[in-house]
Amino acid sequence: MLLLIFFVGKERYGIDSRKVVEVVPVVNCKPVPHAPSHVAGLLSYRGDIVPVVDLSALIGGAPARHLLSTRVILVKYVGADANEHILGLLAERVTETLKCREEDFKSPGFVASAGRYLGDLYIDGEGMIQRIVVEAVLPEELRRSLFAEAEKVADALSAS
Amino acid sequence: MKIKTKFMLAGTTFCVALSVAAVWVDSYFLQNIFFDQYKEKARILLYSMRAVRAHTGTVIRPKATELIGEGFMTELQSTSYAANGVFAKIPEENRYGLNFKTASIKPRNPGNRANEAETELIKLLDELHIKGKEPVWQGFRQLNGVENYVIAVGEVNKPACMQCHGRPEEAPEGMRKLYPVAQDDGYGHLPDRVESAEIVSIPVSAVEASVDRLRIYSALISIFILTIALVGINYFLNAIFRPVRRVTDVAQQIAGGDLQGASESLDSYSEGGSRPSEQVEQRKKEPDETGKLLNSFNIMAHNLNSLVGQVQNSGIQVTTSATEIAASARELEATAAQQAISLNEVSTTSNEIFATSQELAGTVQQVAGMVSGTATLAGQGQNGLADMEQIMRRLVTATTTFSARLSTINEKANNIGSIITTIAKVADQTNLLSLNAAIEAEKAGEYGLGFSVVAREIRRLADQTGVAAQDIEHMVTAMQSAVSAGVMEMDKFSEEVRRGVEEVTGVGGMLGQIIAQVQDLEPQFEAVKVGMQAQSAGAQQISEAINQLSEAAEQTRASLQEFKDATVQLNEAVQGLRSEVARFRVGGA
């Protein structure tokens, strides 16, 4: 199993590479009005409208800085309508991968209601890496509204 | 003690001594005369009594014997009886204390019996008779325990006597009848012997009582005369000493300094008062010694009064003058002292001026030397400055060139920065690519394993490139900032160099001026030096003159001190004179 590593502050987090579609450089996103602050905006990817969530803002509370290593991780997940969707995750220092085994992950034993997207912990020589549960990053209501917005944008694009 | 008292004492002592001596001598002679008189009286009485006995024995008794015959009649025939009777008839007051007794050791009359002392006397007379001398004894003798003057004549038994007093058988009949032999002691007389005596005696005490009485009279008379004499002496002494006492009083007043009182006293003696004036007038008419003395005293007192007055006035004047002189001398001394101090100060100051001017001359010379050196140095400095200006101008040019070069370096560095950025972007892209490749290789499973390794290797190279690019970027950035700092510094430096050049130019001009001025100064320094030397010589001369003046002032001060001492002595002498003279109270003279 390959884990894509990123940083929030000085803490390392990881995303299962099987969920990753592609890692792309940061491009200008279209902002979504009235959305929570950790929603960075909407992104066009190969004809699809992808909502982007700023993980630094979500986990660390501060928006991600514009560095060369700050990138958008495009992940796929299955929504409530059983269709597969793509979600953009904005994160800092996305430059490394880590090879690891599924059995070595351990539950943290404590999960806050607002932090259900934070998964099991993996320990290597440099400390702990927490895995992000991609499906739990967006709450249902936000996801619905975001994808609705994305469909509207997609309709507008196709109409033009 | 007053002379009068002395005179009185001496006179009294003399008179008393004289009186006592007179009384003593008088009483001695009186006593002798008295005793002689008493002896004479005793002799007269004795021989009177013997005459009575002789008369009775030779005249009356034979007649009576004729008349009465055989018998014996005591009243007619006893001689001792007759004598005793006659003596008894002498009145007591005419006896003068004398006693008469016909003492016998063989008396017929028991009343005539000799007592012990009389018996001894009779024996003495008997012995005188036996020796062929007159049986008479006179002298002082103890009778009945009392000292008496005694004169005694022994009765020698004659043959006539022996008829009745001899052997009894030879006595007449009548006698024997009258005086029986057995009872009578009047018989048994021895022929030609003395067995009875007529004794006249007088107690010495009686004589002495008379003498004492006389002495008392004599003493009383002496005292009386003495008193009169003393009164007389006193009167005469008063006559002599009263004026003397007055003169003495006046002399005491003069001695006590009361000249006024003395003058007044003399005036009162000569003018006031009744008795003294009379006396004085009398003396004026006919001046005796005391009068002359008083007049002389009067004149002397007046003269002394005026003299002392003058002396007092003169003393006051002299004191005033002496005090003034002393004050003047003190002032003069103070002035001299101040002068000396001032002179000392002036001397010190002139010495200092001398020293200072000499130092100054030396200093001026040094300064002149230094000025010459300065001129030379300034000349050298000007030349150096000119060279420096040239160098600085070249430096400005070089700096400008250097700045331009630095700008070029900066541009080049910027170019390097853009290249590095490009490299970094490429590296990033490569990293991204390798990430995606790795993810894709993972998705490919076992088929992607080899690709996965390649992707990781690519990513490692990309990372290294990125890091190197980052390092280069840092270095370039540092170089750029250093270059810009260097450019700024160089700008500042070139600005400063420009200003330095200007300043050097200014300094060069100033140095030129200094050199000119210093060159002008040199002859002036020479003049100053000459002036300084002249001043130094002058100061030395002044100092010498001042020293001489100071010595003269010191001598003056010493002379003034002596003068002041003399004044003080004069003042003391005058004070002494005044205190002496002040004892005299002077009238309005």
Side-chain angles (χ1 to χ4, degrees):
Chain A
M1 175 183 167
L2 189 72
L3 205 61
L4 180 66
I5 306 298
F6 68 91
F7 282 78
V8 175
K10 287 178 179 176
E11 288 302 313
R12 287 187 295 169
Y13 295 86
I15 295 175
D16 190 351
S17 62
R18 283 171 300 187
K19 304 267 182 179
V20 177
V21 179
E22 191 182 352
V23 180
V24 297
V26 174
V27 292
N28 286 331
C29 297
K30 183 192 182 294
V32 179
H34 311 301
S37 60
H38 59 271
V39 175
L42 298 173
L43 181 73
S44 167
Y45 177 70
R46 292 178 188 171
D48 289 335
I49 298 301
V50 175
V52 178
V53 172
D54 189 341
L55 286 177
S56 290
L58 182 67
I59 300 168
R65 292 168 292 168
H66 286 280
L67 306 169
L68 277 176
S69 59
T70 302
R71 287 161 181 166
V72 177
I73 305 162
L74 295 170
V75 293
K76 57 183 176 196
Y77 77 97
V78 178
D81 54 354
N83 292 326
E84 197 169 70
H85 297 283
I86 294 173
L87 178 66
L89 298 173
L90 185 64
E92 289 182 4
R93 293 175 66 182
V94 188
T95 55
E96 292 294 328
T97 54
L98 184 70
K99 202 91 172 151
C100 54
R101 290 185 303 171
E102 185 68 46
E103 309 88 69
D104 294 335
F105 281 90
K106 294 183 178 91
S107 171
F110 168 75
V111 177
S113 63
R116 280 186 293 116
Y117 57 87
L118 295 170
D120 298 333
L121 290 166
Y122 177 83
I123 298 168
D124 69 349
E126 295 173 16
M128 285 185 291
I129 300 167
Q130 192 159 31
R131 191 162 56 173
I132 300 295
V133 181
V134 175
E135 286 80 8
V137 169
L138 279 180
E140 189 60 30
E141 190 184 352
L142 181 61
R143 190 178 58 195
R144 201 174 296 151
S145 67
L146 276 176
F147 284 111
E149 181 75 11
E151 277 165 14
K152 270 196 290 181
V153 173
D155 292 344
L157 283 171
S158 61
S160 61
Chain B
M1 199 186 280
K2 288 178 182 175
I3 294 174
K4 188 189 153 187
T5 319
K6 284 179 183 171
F7 263 101
M8 284 298 288
L9 267 175
T12 311
T13 313
F14 178 70
C15 288
V16 167
L18 203 65
S19 303
V20 168
V23 167
W24 187 76
V25 171
D26 198 27
S27 69
Y28 176 75
F29 281 106
L30 273 174
Q31 196 174 13
N32 283 352
I33 289 164
F34 254 73
F35 268 106
D36 288 346
Q37 281 185 354
Y38 268 92
K39 283 175 188 171
E40 201 62 35
K41 280 175 187 167
R43 188 181 294 273
I44 290 166
L45 185 67
L46 183 70
Y47 285 100
S48 299
M49 288 303 124
R50 277 180 69 87
V52 168
R53 281 189 81 177
H55 178 74
T56 306
T58 56
V59 179
I60 298 173
R61 192 196 283 172
K63 256 323 180 203
T65 308
E66 279 178 25
L67 286 173
I68 56 178
E70 264 305 289
F72 186 81
M73 243 176 145
T74 311
E75 288 83 359
L76 285 176
Q77 292 173 308
S78 173
T79 54
S80 64
Y81 186 83
N84 285 350
V86 168
F87 181 72
K89 286 288 185 276
I90 298 169
E92 189 75 28
E93 59 268 25
N94 290 341
R95 284 185 196 165
Y96 301 105
L98 291 166
N99 288 314
F100 173 73
K101 190 175 177 179
T102 314
S104 173
I105 52 174
K106 293 174 180 172
R108 186 140 290 157
N109 184 359
N112 287 346
R113 182 173 295 277
N115 56 24
E116 213 171 312
E118 288 162 353
T119 307
E120 254 180 67
L121 192 60
I122 288 164
K123 280 180 181 170
L124 191 68
L125 292 170
D126 188 35
E127 284 169 12
L128 283 171
H129 177 68
I130 290 166
K131 285 174 184 171
K133 289 178 186 171
E134 189 87 10
V136 176
W137 190 91
Q138 57 184 5
F140 294 96
R141 206 177 172 86
Q142 287 278 342
L143 286 180
N144 301 323
V146 178
E147 183 79 357
N148 277 287
Y149 177 75
V150 177
I151 179 163
V153 176
E155 196 71 36
V156 180
N157 292 334
K158 292 183 286 285
C161 299
M162 291 303 288
Q163 282 181 350
C164 296
H165 290 288
R167 280 177 289 185
E169 53 266 29
E170 291 172 4
E173 194 66 27
M175 187 66 83
R176 276 185 284 175
K177 279 183 185 168
L178 193 61
Y179 302 109
V181 176
Q183 293 166 358
D184 188 55
D185 289 337
Y187 300 107
H189 284 219
L190 301 170
D192 201 27
R193 293 287 293 270
V194 177
E195 283 174 327
S196 68
E198 288 93 18
I199 300 168
V200 172
S201 68
I202 181 160
V204 174
S205 59
V207 181
E208 283 181 343
S210 299
V211 173
D212 283 345
R213 233 180 359 262
L214 260 172
R215 272 181 188 151
I216 286 163
Y217 289 145
S218 167
L220 283 174
I221 287 161
S222 293
I223 288 164
F224 178 68
I225 290 165
L226 194 65
T227 311
I228 287 168
L230 284 178
V231 168
I233 287 168
N234 191 26
Y235 177 76
F236 283 114
L237 282 178
N238 272 347
I240 292 165
F241 279 108
R242 192 176 289 123
V244 170
R245 193 168 59 239
R246 283 177 191 150
V247 172
T248 308
D249 288 347
V250 172
Q252 274 178 347
Q253 279 179 323
I254 290 169
D258 190 2
L259 288 175
Q260 194 182 3
S263 192
E264 281 168 5
S265 299
L266 282 167
D267 287 348
S268 75
Y269 291 152
S270 59
E271 288 164 15
S274 55
R275 263 191 73 211
S277 77
E278 283 166 18
Q279 286 178 350
V280 169
E281 275 169 25
Q282 222 173 352
R283 287 196 192 97
K284 273 178 183 169
K285 281 174 199 165
E286 194 182 342
D288 60 358
E289 286 83 354
T290 50
K292 282 176 186 170
L293 187 64
L294 265 178
N295 281 336
S296 303
F297 252 86
N298 207 349
I299 291 161
M300 187 187 81
H302 276 104
N303 290 343
L304 207 59
N305 196 356
S306 62
L307 176 68
V308 167
Q310 281 176 0
V311 169
Q312 279 183 351
N313 287 335
S314 305
I316 291 165
Q317 283 175 357
V318 172
T319 306
T320 314
S321 304
T323 312
E324 285 174 5
I325 288 167
S328 303
R330 266 198 295 279
E331 284 177 11
L332 219 56
E333 198 192 25
T335 312
Q338 280 182 352
Q339 209 174 6
I341 291 164
S342 304
L343 280 174
N344 275 334
E345 284 175 4
V346 169
S347 175
T348 313
T349 313
S350 68
N351 277 332
E352 283 175 9
I353 287 169
F354 174 65
T356 313
S357 63
Q358 274 185 339
E359 279 179 23
L360 209 57
T363 312
V364 162
Q365 207 155 8
Q366 284 178 0
V367 168
M370 280 153 81
V371 162
S372 304
T374 307
T376 316
L377 284 174
Q380 288 173 1
Q382 209 183 22
N383 293 335
L385 273 179
D387 294 348
M388 194 171 148
E389 202 183 336
Q390 289 295 318
I391 291 161
M392 282 181 103
R393 279 188 203 288
R394 285 206 288 273
L395 196 65
V396 168
T397 317
T399 308
T400 314
T401 315
F402 189 61
S403 266
R405 300 257 167 84
L406 272 182
S407 295
T408 314
I409 289 166
N410 206 13
E411 279 170 28
K412 295 279 196 274
N414 280 340
N415 292 341
I416 293 167
S418 60
I419 291 161
I420 290 295
T421 310
T422 310
I423 291 167
K425 277 178 182 170
V426 170
D428 186 55
Q429 290 295 322
T430 311
N431 177 270
L432 187 62
L433 201 61
S434 76
L435 268 184
N436 283 321
I439 289 164
E440 287 306 321
E442 181 71 20
K443 281 177 191 169
E446 285 183 30
Y447 305 105
L449 273 176
F451 187 68
S452 163
V453 172
V454 173
R456 203 184 310 139
E457 197 59 33
I458 289 168
R459 192 165 69 238
R460 199 176 57 83
L461 284 171
D463 284 351
Q464 282 179 359
T465 311
V467 169
Q470 219 160 8
D471 287 350
I472 292 164
E473 193 184 1
H474 283 309
M475 281 155 71
V476 167
T477 312
M479 195 179 81
Q480 270 179 320
S481 64
V483 164
S484 12
V487 168
M488 278 164 67
E489 286 293 318
M490 198 51 71
D491 283 348
K492 267 200 267 176
F493 178 66
S494 65
E495 185 59 30
E496 280 175 8
V497 165
R498 251 195 302 282
R499 257 191 285 149
V501 168
E502 283 168 19
E503 281 173 9
V504 162
T505 315
V507 169
M510 280 190 233
L511 272 177
Q513 283 178 359
I514 287 168
I515 289 160
Q517 282 171 4
V518 163
Q519 277 163 353
D520 286 350
L521 270 177
E522 266 189 288
Q524 287 175 15
F525 270 123
E526 194 58 37
V528 168
K529 209 170 85 182
V530 172
M532 283 289 175
Q533 276 164 356
Q535 196 186 356
S536 173
Q540 199 167 15
Q541 283 173 1
I542 288 170
S543 184
E544 283 166 8
I546 290 291
N547 277 337
Q548 286 172 2
L549 213 60
S550 187
E551 280 171 16
E554 193 57 41
Q555 284 173 2
T556 309
R557 228 178 91 186
S559 305
L560 272 176
Q561 186 61 41
E562 285 172 12
F563 181 61
K564 214 178 86 178
D565 292 347
T567 312
V568 169
Q569 285 174 0
L570 176 65
N571 210 355
E572 281 173 5
V574 171
Q575 289 296 342
L577 180 65
R578 273 186 72 188
S579 65
E580 285 296 317
V581 171
R583 293 197 297 122
F584 293 100
R585 257 192 328 119
V586 181

Short mmCIF file of all heavy atoms in Angstrom, two decimals, chain B residues 458-488:
data_model
loop_
_atom_site.label_atom_id
_atom_site.label_comp_id
_atom_site.label_asym_id
_atom_site.label_seq_id
_atom_site.Cartn_x
_atom_site.Cartn_y
_atom_site.Cartn_z
N ILE B 458 13.30 9.20 -10.20
CA ILE B 458 13.09 10.50 -10.84
C ILE B 458 12.79 11.55 -9.78
O ILE B 458 13.32 12.66 -9.77
CB ILE B 458 11.95 10.40 -11.87
CG1 ILE B 458 12.42 9.59 -13.08
CG2 ILE B 458 11.51 11.81 -12.34
CD1 ILE B 458 11.31 9.18 -14.02
N ARG B 459 11.84 11.12 -8.85
CA ARG B 459 11.44 12.09 -7.83
C ARG B 459 12.64 12.49 -6.97
O ARG B 459 12.81 13.64 -6.58
CB ARG B 459 10.35 11.46 -6.95
CG ARG B 459 9.71 12.51 -6.07
CD ARG B 459 8.41 12.05 -5.48
NE ARG B 459 8.64 11.00 -4.50
CZ ARG B 459 8.11 9.81 -4.57
NH1 ARG B 459 7.37 9.46 -5.59
NH2 ARG B 459 8.33 8.93 -3.61
N ARG B 460 13.55 11.54 -6.67
CA ARG B 460 14.74 11.83 -5.87
C ARG B 460 15.63 12.86 -6.57
O ARG B 460 16.05 13.86 -5.98
CB ARG B 460 15.52 10.54 -5.60
CG ARG B 460 16.47 10.65 -4.42
CD ARG B 460 17.14 9.31 -4.14
NE ARG B 460 17.84 8.80 -5.31
CZ ARG B 460 19.09 9.17 -5.65
NH1 ARG B 460 19.74 10.06 -4.91
NH2 ARG B 460 19.67 8.67 -6.72
N LEU B 461 15.83 12.58 -7.91
CA LEU B 461 16.64 13.51 -8.69
C LEU B 461 16.00 14.89 -8.72
O LEU B 461 16.66 15.92 -8.54
CB LEU B 461 16.82 12.97 -10.11
CG LEU B 461 17.82 11.83 -10.26
CD1 LEU B 461 17.72 11.25 -11.68
CD2 LEU B 461 19.22 12.35 -10.02
N ALA B 462 14.65 14.87 -8.90
CA ALA B 462 13.93 16.16 -8.93
C ALA B 462 14.11 16.90 -7.62
O ALA B 462 14.35 18.11 -7.57
CB ALA B 462 12.46 15.91 -9.24
N ASP B 463 13.99 16.11 -6.54
CA ASP B 463 14.16 16.72 -5.21
C ASP B 463 15.55 17.32 -5.07
O ASP B 463 15.71 18.46 -4.60
CB ASP B 463 13.93 15.68 -4.11
CG ASP B 463 12.46 15.39 -3.92
OD1 ASP B 463 11.64 16.13 -4.52
OD2 ASP B 463 12.12 14.45 -3.16
N GLN B 464 16.60 16.56 -5.44
CA GLN B 464 17.97 17.05 -5.35
C GLN B 464 18.14 18.30 -6.18
O GLN B 464 18.72 19.29 -5.75
CB GLN B 464 18.94 15.96 -5.82
CG GLN B 464 19.17 14.89 -4.78
CD GLN B 464 20.12 13.80 -5.28
OE1 GLN B 464 20.59 13.84 -6.44
NE2 GLN B 464 20.38 12.82 -4.44
N THR B 465 17.59 18.26 -7.42
CA THR B 465 17.67 19.42 -8.28
C THR B 465 17.03 20.62 -7.61
O THR B 465 17.58 21.74 -7.59
CB THR B 465 16.97 19.13 -9.62
OG1 THR B 465 17.46 17.89 -10.12
CG2 THR B 465 17.22 20.25 -10.62
N GLY B 466 15.82 20.36 -7.05
CA GLY B 466 15.10 21.45 -6.36
C GLY B 466 15.92 22.02 -5.24
O GLY B 466 16.04 23.24 -5.08
N VAL B 467 16.49 21.10 -4.44
CA VAL B 467 17.30 21.56 -3.29
C VAL B 467 18.49 22.37 -3.78
O VAL B 467 18.76 23.48 -3.29
CB VAL B 467 17.75 20.34 -2.47
CG1 VAL B 467 18.79 20.77 -1.44
CG2 VAL B 467 16.58 19.72 -1.77
N ALA B 468 19.18 21.86 -4.84
CA ALA B 468 20.35 22.57 -5.37
C ALA B 468 19.94 23.92 -5.89
O ALA B 468 20.60 24.94 -5.63
CB ALA B 468 20.98 21.74 -6.47
N ALA B 469 18.79 23.90 -6.64
CA ALA B 469 18.30 25.17 -7.18
C ALA B 469 17.99 26.14 -6.05
O ALA B 469 18.33 27.33 -6.12
CB ALA B 469 17.04 24.89 -8.00
N GLN B 470 17.38 25.55 -4.99
CA GLN B 470 17.06 26.41 -3.83
C GLN B 470 18.35 27.01 -3.25
O GLN B 470 18.42 28.20 -2.93
CB GLN B 470 16.35 25.59 -2.75
CG GLN B 470 15.25 26.36 -2.09
CD GLN B 470 14.26 25.40 -1.41
OE1 GLN B 470 14.52 24.18 -1.32
NE2 GLN B 470 13.14 25.92 -0.98
N ASP B 471 19.40 26.14 -3.10
CA ASP B 471 20.69 26.63 -2.58
C ASP B 471 21.22 27.74 -3.44
O ASP B 471 21.61 28.81 -2.94
CB ASP B 471 21.70 25.47 -2.55
CG ASP B 471 21.38 24.48 -1.44
OD1 ASP B 471 20.50 24.84 -0.59
OD2 ASP B 471 21.99 23.40 -1.38
N ILE B 472 21.23 27.49 -4.76
CA ILE B 472 21.74 28.50 -5.69
C ILE B 472 20.95 29.77 -5.56
O ILE B 472 21.50 30.88 -5.49
CB ILE B 472 21.71 27.96 -7.13
CG1 ILE B 472 22.74 26.82 -7.30
CG2 ILE B 472 22.03 29.08 -8.14
CD1 ILE B 472 22.50 25.99 -8.54
N GLU B 473 19.60 29.57 -5.45
CA GLU B 473 18.74 30.74 -5.33
C GLU B 473 19.11 31.54 -4.09
O GLU B 473 19.23 32.77 -4.11
CB GLU B 473 17.28 30.27 -5.27
CG GLU B 473 16.31 31.41 -5.45
CD GLU B 473 14.87 30.95 -5.29
OE1 GLU B 473 14.65 29.75 -5.03
OE2 GLU B 473 13.98 31.80 -5.42
N HIS B 474 19.30 30.80 -2.96
CA HIS B 474 19.71 31.48 -1.71
C HIS B 474 20.99 32.24 -1.93
O HIS B 474 21.10 33.42 -1.55
CB HIS B 474 19.92 30.45 -0.59
CG HIS B 474 18.64 29.95 0.01
ND1 HIS B 474 17.64 30.80 0.46
CD2 HIS B 474 18.17 28.69 0.22
CE1 HIS B 474 16.63 30.10 0.90
NE2 HIS B 474 16.91 28.79 0.78
N MET B 475 22.00 31.58 -2.56
CA MET B 475 23.31 32.20 -2.78
C MET B 475 23.17 33.43 -3.64
O MET B 475 23.74 34.50 -3.33
CB MET B 475 24.27 31.21 -3.44
CG MET B 475 24.86 30.20 -2.44
SD MET B 475 25.37 28.68 -3.23
CE MET B 475 26.80 29.24 -4.10
N VAL B 476 22.36 33.29 -4.70
CA VAL B 476 22.18 34.43 -5.60
C VAL B 476 21.52 35.58 -4.87
O VAL B 476 21.91 36.75 -5.01
CB VAL B 476 21.38 33.99 -6.84
CG1 VAL B 476 20.92 35.21 -7.61
CG2 VAL B 476 22.24 33.12 -7.73
N THR B 477 20.50 35.20 -4.09
CA THR B 477 19.80 36.25 -3.32
C THR B 477 20.77 36.96 -2.40
O THR B 477 20.82 38.21 -2.33
CB THR B 477 18.66 35.62 -2.49
OG1 THR B 477 17.91 34.75 -3.33
CG2 THR B 477 17.78 36.70 -1.91
N ALA B 478 21.58 36.16 -1.69
CA ALA B 478 22.58 36.76 -0.78
C ALA B 478 23.52 37.63 -1.57
O ALA B 478 23.85 38.76 -1.15
CB ALA B 478 23.37 35.63 -0.08
N MET B 479 23.98 37.12 -2.75
CA MET B 479 24.91 37.88 -3.55
C MET B 479 24.27 39.18 -4.01
O MET B 479 24.89 40.25 -3.93
CB MET B 479 25.35 37.06 -4.75
CG MET B 479 26.57 37.59 -5.44
SD MET B 479 27.03 36.54 -6.83
CE MET B 479 25.93 37.07 -8.08
N GLN B 480 22.99 39.05 -4.39
CA GLN B 480 22.29 40.24 -4.86
C GLN B 480 22.20 41.29 -3.77
O GLN B 480 22.47 42.47 -3.97
CB GLN B 480 20.89 39.85 -5.34
CG GLN B 480 20.85 39.50 -6.81
CD GLN B 480 19.46 39.10 -7.24
OE1 GLN B 480 18.75 38.41 -6.48
NE2 GLN B 480 19.07 39.49 -8.44
N SER B 481 21.82 40.82 -2.54
CA SER B 481 21.70 41.79 -1.45
C SER B 481 23.07 42.38 -1.12
O SER B 481 23.20 43.59 -0.89
CB SER B 481 21.11 41.12 -0.21
OG SER B 481 21.97 40.12 0.29
N ALA B 482 24.12 41.51 -1.18
CA ALA B 482 25.48 42.00 -0.90
C ALA B 482 25.87 43.02 -1.94
O ALA B 482 26.43 44.08 -1.64
CB ALA B 482 26.47 40.84 -0.89
N VAL B 483 25.56 42.71 -3.19
CA VAL B 483 25.93 43.62 -4.27
C VAL B 483 25.21 44.94 -4.11
O VAL B 483 25.82 46.01 -4.23
CB VAL B 483 25.64 42.95 -5.64
CG1 VAL B 483 25.64 44.01 -6.73
CG2 VAL B 483 26.67 41.89 -5.95
N SER B 484 23.87 44.82 -3.81
CA SER B 484 23.15 46.10 -3.66
C SER B 484 23.72 46.89 -2.47
O SER B 484 23.90 48.12 -2.55
CB SER B 484 21.65 45.90 -3.48
OG SER B 484 21.34 44.57 -3.24
N ALA B 485 24.02 46.17 -1.34
CA ALA B 485 24.65 46.86 -0.19
C ALA B 485 25.97 47.47 -0.62
O ALA B 485 26.27 48.62 -0.30
CB ALA B 485 24.88 45.85 0.94
N GLY B 486 26.76 46.68 -1.42
CA GLY B 486 28.06 47.18 -1.88
C GLY B 486 27.88 48.40 -2.75
O GLY B 486 28.62 49.37 -2.62
N VAL B 487 26.83 48.34 -3.62
CA VAL B 487 26.58 49.49 -4.48
C VAL B 487 26.28 50.72 -3.64
O VAL B 487 26.84 51.80 -3.85
CB VAL B 487 25.43 49.17 -5.46
CG1 VAL B 487 24.97 50.44 -6.16
CG2 VAL B 487 25.88 48.17 -6.49
N MET B 488 25.40 50.49 -2.60
CA MET B 488 25.03 51.63 -1.75
C MET B 488 26.25 52.15 -1.00
O MET B 488 26.50 53.37 -0.93
CB MET B 488 23.96 51.19 -0.74
CG MET B 488 22.56 51.20 -1.35
SD MET B 488 21.42 50.26 -0.32
CE MET B 488 21.37 51.31 1.10
#
